[in-house]
Amino acid sequence: MKVRYLNESIETANKFVLKKVPAEDLLTLLKKYNFTLLNDINLQLEKGNLLDFYTTDHHLVYYENVLIGILSFKNFFDTWNDIYPEMTHEINPLTKKEEETGHYTLWVSLLEILQSAKLQFPGIPTFEFVRSILDYLILYCKKHGYKVINCAAKDLRVKRLYQRAGFFSFGNDSLDMIYLVDN
């Protein structure tokens, strides 16, 4: 199937099957399938910088029974509250009281499309797979009441890819990206 228009990516999104994988098994699978983010993950884990790795839910993504990538996500509050509670509590400007925030935000910590998937489906550009995964997440958010998708691009190239898919950043230098889900 060749996705030509962004609106048609919902059709592709509906064909994704996600298989949840425990974090303990993920590093082995990343190596087995030659995910390129394995090097980044190992480096960040050694530095102690990848704190959300063990708090998000990891999923292998299948399309037409072919493994195409990995996607890790979870509720923003549940991901960060134990590590950085200041990120999940803010002062409400109207009530002047501290409130829990992030319950309506989905945090995406990992997304990678395998090189082998790109070869398996040469008619589907990487951008269309990413856009379809975004559409999958939008459908997930609508079903579970999320209003925002939050993630970070690993570099400027990925940031531009996310922006083409509808995300926006907090500034020119920022790799933090958000997507507002229409309900």
Side-chain angles (χ1 to χ4, degrees):
M1 172 191 166
K2 179 160 173 65
V3 180
R4 293 193 190 135
Y5 303 102
L6 294 181
N7 293 338
E8 293 177 6
S9 66
I10 289 285
E11 185 179 328
T12 303
N14 286 323
K15 293 181 180 179
F16 288 137
V17 174
L18 273 64
K19 179 183 173 193
K20 193 171 180 178
V21 178
E24 307 80 55
D25 299 340
L26 188 61
L27 291 176
T28 303
L29 291 171
L30 291 174
K31 191 176 289 187
K32 176 181 178 183
Y33 293 111
N34 296 320
F35 283 95
T36 60
L37 51 80
L38 176 63
N39 295 333
D40 291 339
I41 289 172
N42 282 335
L43 180 62
Q44 296 300 323
L45 285 173
E46 286 172 13
K47 291 180 178 179
N49 292 341
L50 200 60
L51 300 173
D52 62 336
F53 180 76
Y54 291 105
T55 60
T56 53
D57 296 326
H58 306 290
H59 306 269
L60 296 177
V61 181
Y62 292 87
Y63 176 74
E64 295 183 357
N65 296 318
V66 174
L67 177 64
I68 64 157
I70 186 164
L71 175 63
S72 300
F73 59 91
K74 195 168 187 172
N75 175 299
F76 186 87
F77 182 87
D78 293 339
T79 302
W80 292 108
N81 189 51
D82 290 339
I83 303 167
Y84 296 114
E86 67 276 7
M87 290 175 57
T88 59
H89 292 74
E90 293 182 3
I91 302 294
N92 182 321
L94 300 175
T95 64
K96 306 295 185 213
K97 294 181 181 177
E98 187 176 276
E99 297 178 0
E100 293 180 345
T101 57
H103 290 290
Y104 299 105
T105 301
L106 187 70
W107 170 248
V108 178
S109 63
L110 296 175
L111 171 60
E112 182 176 349
I113 306 298
L114 282 168
Q115 184 64 33
S116 60
K118 297 172 191 175
L119 300 172
Q120 184 91 8
F121 299 100
I124 303 178
T126 302
F127 168 73
E128 291 181 12
F129 269 129
V130 170
R131 179 61 200 193
S132 295
I133 288 174
L134 172 62
D135 285 337
Y136 175 90
L137 288 172
I138 290 169
L139 294 172
Y140 179 89
C141 287
K142 288 180 179 183
K143 181 177 178 181
H144 297 285
Y146 292 104
K147 310 262 185 241
V148 176
I149 300 171
N150 188 341
C151 67
K154 71 176 186 175
D155 57 32
L156 290 175
R157 182 189 66 79
V158 173
K159 176 182 176 178
R160 286 190 292 275
L161 184 68
Y162 284 177
Q163 286 173 320
R164 283 184 57 207
F167 279 81
F168 62 94
S169 68
F170 297 107
N172 290 337
D173 297 334
S174 176
L175 295 176
D176 293 327
M177 307 293 292
I178 63 170
Y179 184 91
L180 302 176
V181 177
D182 294 329
N183 287 323

